[in-house]
Amino acid sequence: MSAAPAPRRARAVLVEGEYAFTAEDFRRIADLLKAQSGIHLAEAKASLVYSRLAKRLRTLGLRSFADYCALVASPDGVEERSAMLAALTTNVTRFYREPHHFDHLRDRVLKPMADAARAGGRIRIWSSACSTGQEPYSIALTVLDVLPEAARLNVRILATDIDPIVVQTARTGVYNSEAVSPIPKTLRDRHLIRERDGEHWRVGEEARALITFNQLNLIGDWPMRGAFDVIFCRNVVIYFEEDTQNMIWSRFRSCLAPRGRLYVGHSERVDAQGFESDGLTVYRLANGVRA
């Protein structure tokens, strides 16, 4: 008589709800997200992942997370992988967030470069996780505060994000009255246009002309050439593991100009070799030397 088959082990369920969400489902999604974006998801985030992706299952008419995992891992899942990334990434931003950075940018970086820029020198700034655009537009308004003629000079801002949906939102440059409230009134009235509905504002052409928006993955290829005088990368690397963080810092170091500055988030610290502090969550190349 042959032995009876071993009983099948029940899969550990992390979240009970409309759909069972198992540890294996979470692992597959976390592994795919890390491979795609570098973002590390701890299992403590299981409820958040469930709540955000359950909406995708309903939209797609899927019956289980196992079916969803199979879809996003398949060759037919390209669009849904982008949708998953958009659902799981955090896009908290606002105009002049961490305002001391923009004071530093204005006084310590742009003002000393203003005369050279007027004489034909170049200024290059990169907002590397631009989300829905408030950060690069805040940078542009700061530039225009120092150099009102910047659109006619060799001054450019690159704004990138991994999520194509938020990049497209940023390109439109339209925000409601609450969103634009942190903008100083003089700059708002000079560089934004109130829409006919009275509730929205559109960023004006002088600020928009300074910015190029593109999709870019920080753990992927960087096609840019030339050094940046300023890089903003705020509240991003906190979602990466230490080895990925160090890789990002190293790549930033290699593309900063000798007197360039790196601005990071309030809860982030750059401990990588080759950087030194230049203020609260602002860093410069140690001794002005690139890697």
Side-chain angles (χ1 to χ4, degrees):
M1 180 180 294
S2 60
R8 177 182 254 176
R9 294 176 61 189
R11 298 197 300 167
V13 176
L14 297 180
V15 181
E16 292 278 10
E18 181 180 355
Y19 310 95
F21 187 47
T22 69
E24 176 64 14
D25 297 331
F26 177 85
R27 183 194 62 77
R28 293 175 68 184
I29 289 168
D31 287 351
L32 183 58
L33 183 68
K34 184 176 181 181
Q36 186 176 6
S37 67
I39 295 171
H40 169 68
L41 280 178
E43 196 170 282
K45 299 285 188 181
S47 293
L48 180 145
V49 172
Y50 175 90
S51 65
R52 294 187 179 184
L53 294 186
K55 299 174 185 176
R56 297 301 307 154
L57 270 68
R58 294 186 204 107
T59 298
L60 296 167
L62 298 177
R63 301 178 63 181
S64 71
F65 269 95
D67 290 342
Y68 185 77
C69 290
L71 170 63
V72 293
S74 73
D76 295 330
V78 175
E79 288 188 10
E80 186 53 33
R81 286 195 290 275
S82 293
M84 184 188 80
L85 177 69
L88 294 179
T89 49
T90 301
N91 293 302
V92 176
T93 187
R94 60 181 177 273
F95 282 98
Y96 292 92
R97 187 181 190 187
E98 300 182 52
H100 67 281
H101 282 164
F102 299 97
D103 294 338
H104 185 284
L105 175 65
R106 181 190 63 230
D107 297 333
R108 300 283 296 277
V109 179
L110 294 174
K111 286 183 178 179
M113 299 181 74
D115 288 343
R118 291 188 176 104
R122 71 193 290 278
I123 297 177
R124 293 294 184 270
I125 301 173
W126 180 16
S127 169
S128 66
C130 70
S131 187
T132 48
Q134 288 93 324
E135 179 178 275
Y137 287 125
S138 298
I139 294 169
L141 295 176
T142 305
V143 169
L144 290 167
D145 194 27
V146 176
L147 289 164
E149 71 275 43
R152 301 188 297 277
L153 302 176
N154 191 4
V155 180
R156 300 292 182 270
I157 300 165
L158 173 64
T160 64
D161 199 279
I162 191 173
D163 184 347
I165 298 172
V166 299
V167 171
Q168 186 54 42
T169 300
R171 282 196 185 103
T172 66
V174 177
Y175 303 93
N176 63 32
S177 295
E178 181 180 358
V180 304
S181 62
I183 302 175
K185 186 177 185 303
T186 55
L187 290 176
R188 186 199 66 192
D189 291 347
R190 190 181 309 150
H191 296 295
L192 276 74
I193 302 161
R194 197 164 200 163
E195 298 282 75
R196 290 182 178 179
D197 65 7
E199 295 298 323
H200 292 83
W201 295 74
R202 180 180 297 275
V203 179
E205 287 305 315
E206 285 190 322
R208 294 163 69 93
L210 297 175
I211 306 173
T212 298
F213 289 99
N214 281 316
Q215 182 185 3
L216 184 138
N217 188 339
L218 285 176
I219 66 166
D221 293 331
W222 296 1
M224 305 84 74
R225 298 292 179 265
F228 289 95
D229 302 288
V230 172
I231 297 174
F232 276 67
C233 185
R234 305 188 303 168
N235 307 300
V236 176
V237 303
I238 53 174
Y239 300 105
F240 297 154
E241 292 183 301
E242 184 176 359
D243 59 341
T244 306
Q245 292 182 17
N246 290 333
M247 180 268 289
I248 295 293
W249 299 142
S250 177
R251 294 182 77 181
F252 282 150
R253 187 173 69 243
S254 69
C255 63
L256 265 179
R259 297 180 182 273
R261 304 304 204 284
L262 170 65
Y263 296 82
V264 303
H266 68 277
S267 61
E268 297 167 327
R269 298 292 180 271
V270 180
D271 297 322
Q273 185 177 4
F275 283 104
E276 61 186 17
S277 176
D278 190 44
L280 181 61
T281 55
V282 183
Y283 294 85
R284 62 188 175 194
L285 297 176
N287 303 314
V289 178
R290 296 168 67 186

